[in-house]
């Protein structure tokens, strides 16, 4: 027998699964079968934090087969050559095989990884997490050097945005990405999702700052961040 809290968690998932199988799947059966016949062809690679409060499919109202999602602690993308592994392989696959049209790097408010960067003592007992967070260290030194944060909340906010920009730069070090950028067949966008308010700030290359997306000028905003 599992302890009660394990049993409860297990049941919650299984109830969800049962709901999916009896209510959701029957309505979309034809779509799922088509996806298997035709294979997946997502148009977007969406890289975000593993934080359980971030739900990329819900946020972008995407269905199965529409976005290729990669999540890790802090939405980090090690620069090419630093840590050749899962992420480098994923980028190659998304860009070269799936031929996605855009990569979105999406950070979020209240990010524990960004807070841990500021307070490394919080992850002292987690050496692997600590090492992983090094991929965001340059963002911290940028915001510290800028020294415009009024308080720690502001510092975290700035770091969340700066980290998205840093990871966008890391993306551009990967040959698979660089090639597609040279062909102008791929765009990179930076987002910050504000969990409490349901808002998303999108980096605007021209104004060089994150602007809250309000649905207006969809075409203009959609092309503003093309790298
Ligand atoms: Zn996070």
């Amino acid at each position: 027998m599992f302890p009660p809290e394990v049993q409860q968690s297990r049941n919650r998932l299984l109830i969800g699964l049962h709901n999916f199988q009896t209510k959701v799947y029957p309505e979309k059966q034809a779509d799922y079968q088509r996806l298997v016949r035709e294979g997946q062809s997502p148009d977007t690679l969406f890289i975000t934090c593993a934080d359980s409060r971030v739900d990329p499919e819900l946020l972008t109202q995407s269905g199965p087969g529409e976005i290729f999602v990669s999540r890790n602690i802090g939405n980090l993308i090690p620069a090419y050559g630093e840590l050749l592994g899962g992420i480098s392989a994923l980028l190659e696959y998304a860009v070269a095989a799936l031929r996605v049209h855009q990569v979105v790097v999406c950070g979020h408010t209240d990010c524990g990884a960004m807070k841990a960067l500021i307070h490394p003592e919080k992850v002292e007992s987690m050496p692997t997490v600590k090492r992983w967070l090094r991929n965001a260290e340059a963002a911290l030194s940028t915001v510290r050097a800028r020294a415009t944060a009024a308080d720690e909340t502001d510092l975290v906010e700035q770091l969340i945005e700066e980290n998205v920009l840093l990871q966008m730069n890391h993306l551009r070090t990967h040959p698979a990405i660089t090639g597609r950028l040279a062909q102008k067949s791929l765009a990179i966008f930076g987002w910050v999702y504000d969990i409490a308010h349901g808002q998303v700030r999108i980096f605007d290359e021209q104004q060089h700052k994150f602007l809250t997306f309000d649905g207006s000028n969809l075409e203009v905003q959609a092309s503003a961040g093309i790298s």
Side-chain angles (χ1 to χ4, degrees):
M1 272 302 281
F2 297 114
E5 66 274 18
V6 175
Q7 191 68 35
Q8 211 176 358
S9 301
R10 174 182 176 272
N11 285 350
R12 195 185 58 72
L13 281 199
L14 293 180
I15 289 166
L17 173 60
H18 185 67
N19 254 339
F20 172 78
Q21 292 181 322
T22 55
K23 297 190 181 116
V24 180
Y25 177 79
E27 278 181 21
K28 296 189 171 170
Q29 188 173 8
D31 291 340
Y32 284 108
Q33 289 176 345
R34 180 182 52 78
L35 281 170
V36 171
R37 266 197 321 276
E38 297 175 1
Q40 63 166 333
S41 57
D43 57 12
T44 300
L45 168 59
F46 198 93
I47 301 171
T48 192
C49 187
D51 191 302
S52 59
R53 298 166 297 177
V54 179
D55 189 336
E57 282 86 359
L58 191 65
L59 184 63
T60 62
Q61 294 290 287
S62 298
E66 290 184 322
I67 55 174
F68 196 65
V69 178
S70 175
R71 311 181 64 153
N72 63 58
I73 292 175
N75 40 272
L76 309 184
I77 300 141
Y80 186 71
E82 287 298 306
L83 253 180
L84 280 183
I87 292 189
S88 314
L90 176 120
L91 288 176
E92 269 183 16
Y93 184 70
V95 166
L98 297 174
R99 305 286 300 173
V100 296
H101 303 145
Q102 58 178 346
V103 185
V104 175
V105 181
C106 182
H108 67 98
T109 52
D110 198 41
C111 183
M114 296 302 106
K115 290 179 179 174
L117 259 183
I118 296 169
H119 293 287
E121 70 279 4
K122 285 186 178 171
V123 286
E124 210 49 68
S125 62
M126 294 176 266
T128 318
V129 173
K130 198 174 169 189
R131 204 172 317 133
W132 173 246
L133 290 179
R134 275 191 212 153
N135 293 296
E137 235 158 45
L140 180 62
S141 58
T142 302
V143 294
R144 282 240 160 95
R146 203 187 288 142
T148 54
D151 51 26
E152 181 154 325
T153 310
D154 195 17
L155 184 70
V156 174
E157 285 290 301
Q158 289 191 16
L159 181 57
I160 289 164
E161 290 187 352
E162 201 58 45
N163 178 53
V164 167
L165 298 180
L166 175 68
Q167 305 312 324
M168 288 166 78
N169 280 336
H170 286 171
L171 262 179
R172 297 183 182 100
T173 65
H174 288 260
I177 299 278
T178 320
R180 288 282 307 277
L181 288 176
Q183 292 173 341
K184 298 197 184 307
S185 62
L186 182 78
I188 297 174
F189 298 100
W191 291 18
V192 172
Y193 169 42
D194 181 335
I195 299 173
H197 301 98
Q199 299 282 356
V200 171
R201 296 195 298 275
I202 301 178
F203 186 68
D204 184 286
E205 298 274 352
Q206 266 93 52
Q207 300 189 48
H208 205 78
K209 61 179 179 185
F210 284 83
L211 303 176
T212 301
F213 175 72
D214 61 5
S216 62
N217 301 322
L218 257 174
E219 285 300 316
V220 175
Q221 295 211 18
S223 62
I226 289 179
S227 304

